[in-house]
Amino acid sequence: MALDIEGIIQKLNLKWYRDKEQYSDGNVENDIMEYVCQNEPEDYGKIIAGHYSWPVYYHLTHTRKNILNWYPFKEGASVLEVGCGCGAVTGMLCDKCQKVTAVELSLRRAAITQLRCRDKDNLEVIVGNLNDIEFEEKFDYITLIGVLEYQGTYTDSGTPYRDFLKKIKSFLKEDGKLLIAIENKYGLKYWCGAMEDHTGIPFDGLNQYRFSDGKVKTFSKEELRELLIESGFKKSYFYFPLPDYKLPTVVYSEKYMPRDAALENMIPYYVPSDQSLILEEEKLYKDLIRNKVFDFFANSFLVECSLEDKKEEKVIFALMNTKRQKEYRIGTKIDEAGKVKKFALEDNENIQNHLVKCAKNMEKLKSFGLKVLPYRTEGKELVADYVELPTIADMLCNAAKEKNRESIWDLFDKLLKEIESSSDPAEQKECLIYELGLDEYKEEKNYGKILKEGYVDMIPRNGFMEPEGNFLWFDQEWVLDHIPSSFIFFKGVAETYSSFPELEEIVPISDFLKHYGIDKHLDVFFALNELYMKSIIDEYYAGYHVENRDQDIYRKNILKFL
């Protein structure tokens, strides 16, 4: 059936439209409109892979939804989305809330949003400047995602940012929430030399925008908090999305900050031009965290703003696995009530089946005598109690800092023993390596114990260390049949060495590989791991991040000054 494009676009509310495009990425938006018309959302990954550019990626990637797909919107909520752009977040809001009103300056972008959300019957898209629009209702939530910083241009006032927020406040219910996502003027990426996102000038925000026209402005954490108070918001709560609010994969908060060198799921920030970069952002977080200044240098903020100053339990941390194939996209969130919740990032029955499988994996491990963190089902979520214990990875790192080689080897031995005891054995000739053709079976070859069911997530960061010295396992998602226990062991320890380089100084990884006989199987294990990852990761996933960057660019840029 042909798509009635004109009929869909006619649904737009044009009452406040001024008949001119005020904001645009240019003609690429015509291409994006065509892609949206001809494809369903689940196919956008193919479009991004086939038409790889920053605007196409930015507007169509499902990673954009991570800014709020974990947020606990109340049931039956109404939402005003100010500056919906091309609808990257709009559809998710429609799925989570009863009614969504989206406002967009650009007619073309508004049309893309309407087309993108053509299956949503709880959406109204209004074209125009919010300052001109009047509403007969008030909203439970209002979102300003990448909008506040532009009010020097779009709000005609001597104090545009404060007056715009006051206007927003008038549309909010007394118990409502304003959700602001914005770059941090003092974000770490800017100290590293990334060009200011809005002006394209390196160090522009750090120089208080003296080198631009001042029509766009971002704020520090305290500047933003003070602005909100001046605008009538009595309470604000700060979240810190990484790598930033545009493409977040993990969200920390005031009550759950990153610890030491471990940054879950961190992907360094993408910069359109690396010609002014002088520092590697990802190598600085360790010191920021240890010096307790992470919140000052966070690349961006998500702020929950309230008109009432009352205590409420919040989600304090969220982690989203969006690089995966769609049936495996799950998130993890922690709330103040002490609950850890596993949830589907999309409304997909296959994801729910995967969550059920995760719970069964934990029970199966328990049946083999291993200690596991118990999960229970609440609605569509898997729930466990939050545990404040060091992980096995933490213990390895601490032992390395204390230069305690014996403790490191003891932890390695105990980890391998736990993995080997997690399943019934299988015959050597049944090993998955032979089935996949990665090696030829010979009787004299030995890959160690072959597990009938190998729990691939029995890795140091997925196990707690109890005070009595027992391991307590959690997050056991994946199972491979007839897998060598040594492969799981190698995979987890190698990841730990990557996260905690100080291990290499005390026990070189070459010593680890030789001690356990893994050095003889490295090529096969690398090949097996590549196949394993391909079975999970979305083949069309494309990310703008450090892997695409010339790693010698920092030296080259510094040499310009010498």
Side-chain angles (χ1 to χ4, degrees):
M1 185 174 65
L3 188 65
D4 180 12
I5 297 175
E6 290 299 322
I8 293 171
I9 293 178
Q10 284 176 8
K11 292 182 179 180
L12 296 173
N13 184 334
L14 302 177
K15 181 178 178 180
W16 288 277
Y17 180 50
R18 293 181 177 178
D19 200 26
K20 67 175 183 178
E21 292 297 286
Q22 300 186 62
Y23 190 86
S24 172
D25 276 330
N27 289 332
V28 69
E29 291 182 3
N30 292 330
D31 297 331
I32 292 171
M33 181 178 287
E34 183 178 344
Y35 302 148
V36 167
C37 287
Q38 296 179 357
N39 297 273
E40 295 300 321
E42 57 265 27
D43 297 319
Y44 290 168
K46 297 177 185 178
I47 298 301
I48 293 169
H51 305 274
Y52 202 64
S53 71
W54 171 247
V56 171
Y57 177 75
Y58 173 72
H59 288 297
L60 295 183
T61 176
H62 60 263
T63 305
R64 293 279 308 282
K65 296 184 289 188
N66 288 349
I67 189 62
L68 288 174
N69 60 5
W70 53 271
Y71 186 81
F73 293 98
K74 67 182 182 182
E75 189 173 348
S78 60
V79 181
L80 172 61
E81 183 189 13
V82 182
C84 64
C86 294
V89 178
T90 312
M92 179 270 295
L93 292 175
C94 290
D95 291 339
K96 288 184 171 292
C97 303
Q98 184 170 312
K99 181 182 179 183
V100 177
T101 302
V103 175
E104 173 55 42
L105 280 166
S106 161
L107 176 60
R108 182 165 54 183
R109 288 188 170 199
I112 293 171
T113 296
Q114 190 75 65
L115 287 163
R116 190 171 184 169
C117 299
R118 52 187 175 264
D119 64 334
K120 312 298 183 186
D121 58 8
N122 59 339
L123 171 66
E124 179 185 16
V125 181
I126 302 174
V127 189
N129 187 324
L130 184 85
N131 290 298
D132 302 329
I133 300 173
E134 298 176 1
F135 295 101
E136 296 181 357
E137 62 180 309
K138 294 196 174 188
F139 299 89
D140 295 301
Y141 300 93
I142 300 177
T143 67
L144 301 179
I145 301 176
V147 172
L148 178 61
E149 57 267 40
Y150 291 102
Q151 295 318 304
T153 299
Y154 297 112
T155 297
D156 187 11
S157 163
T159 53
Y161 304 98
R162 185 182 66 189
D163 292 345
F164 180 72
L165 286 171
K166 285 185 174 180
K167 177 85 170 180
I168 290 290
K169 176 175 169 283
S170 70
F171 300 143
L172 197 62
K173 292 180 181 179
E174 275 301 309
D175 62 346
K177 305 291 183 188
L178 168 63
L179 300 168
I180 300 174
I182 187 172
E183 288 85 359
N184 176 11
K185 180 169 70 175
Y186 295 122
L188 181 58
K189 65 185 180 185
Y190 295 139
W191 296 95
C192 292
M195 295 182 182
E196 210 280 346
D197 286 49
H198 313 90
T199 68
I201 301 173
F203 308 106
D204 197 19
L206 304 183
N207 279 299
Q208 312 306 313
Y209 296 98
R210 284 183 292 164
F211 301 107
S212 57
D213 59 14
K215 292 292 187 180
V216 177
K217 180 181 178 181
T218 58
F219 307 89
S220 69
K221 180 184 172 186
E222 287 309 308
E223 286 173 339
L224 186 52
R225 193 191 298 277
E226 289 170 8
L227 175 63
L228 289 164
I229 292 172
E230 292 171 5
S231 305
F233 291 91
K234 294 182 179 179
K235 190 174 184 179
S236 58
Y237 185 83
F238 277 73
Y239 292 94
F240 309 101
L242 280 178
D244 74 333
Y245 82 82
K246 295 185 183 75
L247 303 170
T249 53
V250 60
V251 179
Y252 293 96
S253 77
E254 294 179 13
K255 295 185 178 179
Y256 193 104
M257 302 288 272
R259 304 172 190 187
D260 201 15
L263 283 164
E264 290 92 339
N265 221 28
M266 170 61 182
I267 299 174
Y269 183 73
Y270 162 73
V271 291
S273 170
D274 59 13
Q275 296 309 299
S276 55
L277 290 181
I278 56 174
L279 294 168
E280 291 186 73
E281 175 189 335
E282 60 274 20
K283 293 187 177 178
L284 301 178
Y285 281 106
K286 181 176 181 178
D287 281 340
L288 296 185
I289 293 164
R290 288 180 177 174
N291 285 280
K292 303 186 186 306
V293 291
F294 170 81
D295 56 339
F296 179 83
F297 289 99
N299 280 333
S300 58
F301 309 123
L302 172 68
V303 193
E304 181 192 69
C305 316
S306 307
L307 299 176
E308 301 177 333
D309 186 7
K310 64 179 182 179
K311 182 173 176 56
E312 299 171 302
E313 288 187 349
K314 302 181 183 300
V315 172
I316 58 175
F317 171 81
L319 170 68
M320 282 67 65
N321 294 299
T322 46
K323 290 174 61 174
R324 298 176 176 184
Q325 296 175 24
K326 60 185 179 181
E327 61 264 37
Y328 304 133
R329 290 176 192 156
I330 66 173
T332 302
K333 54 189 175 184
I334 302 172
D335 63 27
E336 283 187 281
K339 291 183 178 181
V340 181
K341 299 179 179 180
K342 300 286 184 183
F343 65 100
L345 292 177
E346 299 174 18
D347 187 12
N348 183 309
E349 184 178 349
N350 289 328
I351 303 179
Q352 293 301 141
N353 292 337
H354 181 64
L355 285 171
V356 170
K357 181 69 163 55
C358 293
K360 290 180 178 178
N361 289 344
M362 301 296 286
E363 289 300 314
K364 194 68 177 291
L365 276 179
K366 186 177 178 180
S367 72
F368 278 88
L370 277 68
K371 297 195 71 172
V372 301
L373 188 66
Y375 282 83
R376 57 191 180 275
T377 302
E378 293 184 6
K380 292 185 176 182
E381 298 177 333
L382 286 184
V383 181
D385 293 327
Y386 179 71
V387 174
E388 188 70 56
L389 288 172
T391 64
I392 304 166
D394 292 332
M395 298 300 292
L396 285 166
C397 182
N398 291 338
K401 289 176 183 176
E402 295 168 1
K403 303 186 185 310
N404 191 332
R405 287 173 54 88
E406 184 178 353
S407 289
I408 293 171
W409 286 115
D410 285 347
L411 285 166
F412 284 160
D413 288 343
K414 183 174 176 60
L415 175 60
L416 179 58
K417 184 177 179 181
E418 290 262 320
I419 294 170
E420 289 180 338
S421 64
S422 66
S423 169
D424 290 325
E427 297 291 333
Q428 281 285 328
K429 62 184 178 182
E430 296 176 324
C431 182
L432 181 63
I433 287 169
Y434 303 130
E435 183 181 334
L436 295 174
L438 299 177
D439 195 6
E440 183 181 352
Y441 172 70
K442 293 181 180 178
E443 279 194 34
E444 63 270 20
K445 286 185 178 177
N446 190 331
Y447 280 100
K449 182 175 181 179
I450 309 301
L451 306 174
K452 278 192 174 180
E453 295 180 312
Y455 296 87
V456 189
D457 284 327
M458 289 186 70
I459 57 178
R461 66 179 170 88
N462 283 349
F464 292 120
M465 174 69 86
E466 294 185 318
E468 302 80 11
N470 299 314
F471 289 172
L472 179 67
W473 294 102
F474 61 94
D475 283 4
Q476 299 301 305
E477 287 190 61
W478 309 102
V479 177
L480 290 178
D481 293 339
H482 300 165
I483 195 78
S485 58
S486 54
F487 169 74
I488 300 173
F489 183 45
F490 159 72
K491 181 177 178 298
V493 172
E495 179 190 282
T496 307
Y497 270 91
S498 177
S499 298
F500 300 102
E502 43 267 82
L503 263 176
E504 178 69 23
E505 299 175 14
I506 311 304
V507 177
I509 194 168
S510 57
D511 290 356
F512 161 78
L513 296 172
K514 186 175 181 180
H515 180 82
Y516 292 102
I518 297 172
D519 54 336
K520 302 189 293 289
H521 309 311
L522 272 183
D523 289 344
V524 172
F525 281 3
F526 279 129
L528 178 58
N529 190 60
E530 183 177 357
L531 290 175
Y532 162 69
M533 294 305 296
K534 281 183 177 180
S535 71
I536 298 170
I537 301 300
D538 180 3
E539 66 176 307
Y540 295 109
Y541 173 81
Y544 277 80
H545 50 81
V546 74
E547 291 174 12
N548 301 328
R549 190 178 300 156
D550 175 5
Q551 290 300 290
D552 199 35
I553 194 67
Y554 310 97
R555 183 184 65 84
K556 292 176 182 176
N557 288 340
I558 289 172
L559 288 176
K560 294 175 186 177
F561 300 98
L562 301 178

